[in-house]
Amino acid sequence: MKALCWVGTNHLNVERVPDPEILNPKDAIVRVVLSSVCGSDLHLIDGYVPSMREGDIIGHEFMGEVVEVGPEVKKLKRGDRVVVASVVGCGGCWFCDHGSWSLCDNGNAHASIAEKAYGYSPGGIFGYSHAFGGYAGSHAEYIRVPFADNGMFKIPDGVSDESAVFVSDGFPTGFMAADMCNIQPGDIVAVWGAGGVGQMAIRSAFLLGASRVIAIDRFPERLAMARIQGKAETLNYEEVDILEALKEMTGGRGPDHCIDAVGQEADTPGALHYYDLVKQQLKIETDRPHVLRQAILACRKGGTLSIVGVYGGYIDKLPMGAAMNKALTFRMGQMHAQKYIPRLLEHVQRGDVDPAYLLTHRWPLERGQEGYQMFKHKTDECMRVVFAP
Ligand code: NAD
Ligand code: ZN
């Protein structure tokens, strides 16, 4: 089959690879219909995620059609149209039992790599390095789905492929970001990053009862989408002082909850950006935590910092004193897709949110390298490129 493979930093290639096969009785094989780029893939492409190997198939946000099931797959069958959770969870361990699917004890086939770095290993993620399981990703004609009864969800009638694909990853991530804030009626939520994840965090914050959402980014078309589709107020961090503006917009108190939907490759105007970039390139610091720093200072006393932007390793100059003395609550994590997908499919079916507007470019897999370069540099008003293998 055809697959989009990681070759090295900033280098992808469409290659012919062997078709996937059922390896375990709980596996299924899915023919990929749509597979989207995600901000997490940029960390692979930019070379910030160790344990990538030449030839690894990337991609984790996808939907398709079941073509084969192992003997222990009971809930779904050949021919079903499914959206697949981007994280791999066994459904039987303590963590899955507690709804913490991305922390599954059995989802990461290469747990020892992550254990060395993190103490304990999180679960697996499709197409996301060997430290996260070494699973082949979805930018391919077919994919093997382990623990298929837990990871695959039948797409209800009336929900299009273009809507369902984002229920795999971007929508549940944004939803979990808002859910972790424990939003109370009247609360104001600030969201850093107006990419696909940030856009879904905005919608989810309103679904969960926020009275106002303030979105922060620098790309005018992304801020416009946040305003028009998300009904958010927006701030361009290249134009205003974010701390001052947030203080003013919240009556001097600060937002109740601050969501980081940017992560380790944050951009910063001015010299600080180069400080972090140089340290990152010298591997003194692995991540650029500018948004974390800003969100800690911006957040109201006693507020929540909800982090879904991905961090990989070590950061520098985190204002921990501000966080401690302002009594902030930190919540974070790779999202628990399996916990949220059924509920989000209902929201989509009812028409509360239709994430299909994130799809700005629909391309064949052959244009993978070009698609990722466009997504990385945010040219042509690209929000998400979706490949149709
Ligand atoms: P994206 O690249 O489309 O969007 C990121 C946005 O952040 C861009 O619009 C960029 O302009 C903006 N940004 C950069 N620096 C900023 C700053 N200083 N202030 C405000 N905005 C800034 O990516 P995405 O697909 O929306 O993903 C966002 C993050 O979420 C990534 O780190 C990704 O890895 C992560 N993610 C996490 C999970 C999870 O399970 N936790 C799942 C999916 C994605
Ligand atoms: Zn993702």
Side-chain angles (χ1 to χ4, degrees):
M1 65 167 183
K2 268 183 314 190
L4 184 64
C5 299
W6 187 92
V7 182
T9 302
N10 276 317
H11 188 182
L12 301 172
N13 205 14
V14 177
E15 291 173 14
R16 286 255 148 219
V17 302
D19 288 352
E21 289 172 9
I22 300 271
L23 300 180
N24 295 305
K26 294 180 177 172
D27 289 352
I29 304 294
V30 168
R31 180 179 68 81
V32 179
V33 174
L34 295 177
S35 178
S36 175
V37 304
C38 166
S40 295
D41 298 319
L42 295 180
H43 313 318
L44 309 175
I45 288 177
D46 294 340
Y48 292 122
V49 181
S51 80
M52 286 297 290
R53 296 186 197 148
E54 186 175 340
D56 285 347
I57 305 171
I58 64 167
H60 57 264
E61 181 165 59
F62 65 106
M63 53 74 57
E65 183 197 338
V66 180
V67 291
E68 196 182 345
V69 294
E72 286 178 30
V73 176
K74 305 290 180 213
K75 294 191 202 150
L76 292 131
K77 57 178 193 314
R78 200 189 148 103
D80 282 343
R81 193 168 67 105
V82 292
V83 54
V84 182
S86 58
V87 300
V88 177
C90 74
C93 73
W94 187 90
F95 293 96
C96 292
D97 256 3
H98 286 74
S100 300
W101 292 84
S102 72
L103 305 180
C104 173
D105 255 344
N106 303 308
N108 187 346
H110 300 166
S112 63
I113 307 179
E115 276 165 5
K116 280 199 196 91
Y118 297 157
Y120 300 94
S121 171
I125 303 177
F126 288 105
Y128 202 68
S129 84
H130 291 265
F132 284 87
Y135 295 105
S138 59
H139 293 338
E141 289 175 282
Y142 298 93
I143 183 167
R144 179 177 75 94
V145 179
F147 307 112
D149 268 343
N150 304 310
M152 304 196 305
F153 295 83
K154 199 168 170 174
I155 301 169
D157 292 340
V159 174
S160 70
D161 295 352
E162 290 76 9
S163 306
V165 65
F166 301 115
V167 179
S168 160
D169 185 77
F171 194 6
T173 304
F175 194 87
M176 175 159 138
D179 192 30
M180 290 192 295
C181 295
N182 190 19
I183 295 170
Q184 302 300 309
D187 280 356
I188 304 177
V189 180
V191 179
W192 275 257
V197 171
Q199 301 286 344
M200 291 297 105
I202 295 167
R203 300 298 297 267
S204 305
F206 279 123
L207 281 176
L208 293 173
S211 70
R212 291 168 61 200
V213 180
I214 304 166
I216 303 153
D217 205 299
R218 74 183 163 111
F219 291 102
E221 66 280 5
R222 290 180 164 223
L223 292 171
M225 186 182 274
R227 279 193 303 273
I228 295 163
Q229 300 279 359
K231 310 285 180 257
E233 299 155 63
T234 58
L235 292 173
N236 185 328
Y237 67 81
E238 288 186 325
E239 290 169 2
V240 297
D241 180 318
I242 293 299
L243 293 182
E244 283 302 315
L246 285 174
K247 189 179 268 184
E248 198 170 302
M249 290 166 86
T250 55
R253 197 161 71 157
D256 299 291
H257 312 287
C258 293
I259 293 177
D260 174 351
V262 178
Q264 68 179 147
E265 293 186 68
D267 161 67
T268 326
L272 194 55
H273 182 70
Y274 294 97
Y275 170 88
D276 282 319
L277 195 63
V278 168
K279 290 191 87 165
Q280 196 176 34
Q281 275 161 10
L282 294 173
K283 307 223 187 294
I284 303 170
E285 172 180 58
T286 56
D287 305 3
R288 303 198 296 268
H290 181 65
V291 165
L292 281 183
R293 293 180 189 131
Q294 200 165 55
I296 288 173
L297 297 181
C299 197
R300 79 143 156 84
K301 292 179 277 184
T304 318
L305 192 59
S306 169
I307 308 165
V308 288
V310 163
Y311 292 87
Y314 296 88
I315 57 174
D316 193 7
K317 291 207 183 318
L318 194 76
M320 202 59 201
M324 192 278 164
N325 289 290
K326 279 165 61 182
L328 301 188
T329 298
F330 278 36
R331 300 287 309 272
M332 61 192 90
Q334 299 285 355
M335 57 88 195
H336 308 307
Q338 291 85 338
K339 171 176 167 186
Y340 294 111
I341 287 176
R343 174 175 182 175
L344 298 184
L345 282 172
E346 278 176 30
H347 277 305
V348 178
Q349 199 179 16
R350 277 207 302 269
D352 302 333
V353 177
D354 182 356
Y357 63 84
L358 299 179
L359 195 167
T360 50
H361 296 76
R362 183 188 175 122
W363 281 2
L365 205 53
E366 284 73 8
R367 293 180 75 183
Q369 167 77 1
E370 194 189 341
Y372 268 103
Q373 285 308 308
M374 182 171 72
F375 174 56
K376 173 173 163 167
H377 298 291
K378 317 303 188 217
T379 49
D380 198 29
E381 306 202 349
C382 174
M383 177 60 75
R384 257 160 156 70
V385 187
V386 172
F387 301 113

